[in-house]
C-alpha cells in the first residue's frame, strides 16, 4: 500500500469516528454498552461501505463487459454506477466514502480490459473537467462566504493601490 492510500483510509476512518462521537455527544451519560455498540457500528459502517463499493464495481464490470456493441454506454456505466453505489451507501447509513473508494480501486483492475481506448479517454477528460468545475465552484462559494460575513465598503485608495501594482 502506498502512503497516499493509507492517508485516505485514515481520513475515512476519522469520518466514521466523527459521526460516532457526534452521536455520543447527544447522550446524557455514555455507558459501557454505548462504547461496545459504537465499536460494532464502526465496523458495520466500514464493512458495509466496502461491500456496497465491491457490488457497484462488480455491476460496472458486468455492464461494461456486455456493452461492447454500444460504445457510448461504457462511459455512462463507469460514471453512473459508482455514483449509484455512493447514493446507496448514503441511504443505508453506511460509509459512502469507503464505498466509492473501494469501487474505484476494484474498477481500476477489472474495467480496463472491458472498455475501448476512446471510452477510457472520454471518462478521463470528463472527470478532469468535472474536477476543475467543482474546484471553481467550491472556491467561488468560499470567497462569497468570506465576503458575505463582513460589511465591506469600497475603498478607492485600496483599489487605486492594487491597480497601480498591477500596472507597474
Amino acid at each position: 500500500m502506498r502512503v497516499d492510500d493509507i492517508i485516505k483510509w485514515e481520513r475515512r476512518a476519522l469520518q466514521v469516528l466523527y459521526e460516532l462521537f457526534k452521536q455520543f455527544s447527544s447522550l446524557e451519560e455514555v455507558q459501557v454498552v454505548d462504547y461496545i455498540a459504537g465499536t460494532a457500528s464502526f465496523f458495520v459502517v466500514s464493512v458495509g461501505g466496502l461491500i456496497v463499493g465491491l457490488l457497484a464495481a462488480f455491476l460496472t464490470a458486468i455492464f461494461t463487459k456486455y456493452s461492447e456493441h454500444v460504445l457510448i454506454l461504457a462511459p455512462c456505466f463507469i460514471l453512473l454506477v459508482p455514483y449509484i453505489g455512493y447514493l446507496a451507501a448514503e441511504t443505508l447509513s453506511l460509509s459512502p466514502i469507503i464505498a466509492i473508494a473501494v469501487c474505484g480501486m476494484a474498477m481500476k483492475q477489472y474495467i480496463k480490459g472491458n472498455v475501448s481506448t476512446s471510452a477510457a479517454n472520454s471518462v478521463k477528460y470528463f472527470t478532469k473537467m468535472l474536477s476543475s468545475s467543482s474546484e471553481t465552484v467550491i472556491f467561488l462559494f468560499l470567497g462569497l462566504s468570506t465576503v458575505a460575513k463582513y460589511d465591506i465598503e469600497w475603498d478607492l485608495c485600496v483599489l487605486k493601490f492594487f491597480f497601480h501594482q498591477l500596472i507597474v
Side-chain angles (χ1 to χ4, degrees):
M1 253 184 146
R2 294 183 349 220
V3 175
D4 294 338
D5 294 335
I6 294 171
I7 291 171
K8 289 177 186 175
W9 283 109
E10 286 177 358
R11 287 181 186 164
R12 292 179 198 103
L14 286 175
Q15 180 204 11
V16 174
L17 286 175
Y18 169 75
E19 293 296 327
L20 177 66
F21 290 139
K22 193 166 76 170
Q23 290 176 357
F24 279 174
S25 68
S26 66
L27 298 175
E28 290 180 16
E29 184 178 337
V30 182
Q31 299 175 352
V32 175
V33 176
D34 296 325
Y35 287 115
I36 294 170
T39 305
S41 73
F42 177 78
F43 288 109
V44 167
V45 167
S46 300
V47 172
L50 181 113
I51 291 170
V52 169
L54 288 175
L55 182 64
F58 176 74
L59 287 175
T60 307
I62 295 294
F63 290 161
T64 55
K65 182 176 182 180
Y66 294 112
S67 67
E68 59 194 19
H69 300 295
V70 187
L71 295 177
I72 192 70
L73 286 180
C76 295
F77 289 142
I78 290 171
L79 294 170
L80 291 178
V81 174
Y83 181 65
I84 291 170
Y86 176 89
L87 291 178
E90 183 73 39
T91 303
L92 296 171
S93 296
L94 302 172
S95 177
I97 296 175
I98 291 177
I100 197 82
V102 168
C103 182
M105 286 186 257
M107 282 175 50
K108 173 93 171 157
Q109 302 297 322
Y110 296 106
I111 303 299
K112 195 180 269 186
N114 292 345
V115 296
S116 64
T117 55
S118 65
N121 283 337
S122 64
V123 169
K124 175 182 169 183
Y125 290 118
F126 180 79
T127 53
K128 282 185 177 184
M129 180 200 61
L130 186 64
S131 163
S132 179
S133 301
S134 298
E135 183 178 303
T136 302
V137 169
I138 288 169
F139 282 112
L140 177 76
F141 281 120
L142 185 64
L144 287 175
S145 68
T146 303
V147 172
K149 269 188 177 177
Y150 307 105
D151 292 331
I152 297 176
E153 298 178 11
W154 287 99
D155 190 1
L156 291 177
C157 292
V158 173
L159 287 175
K160 287 179 186 178
F161 173 74
F162 284 126
F163 281 124
H164 177 65
Q165 294 299 320
L166 284 174
I167 294 170
V168 174

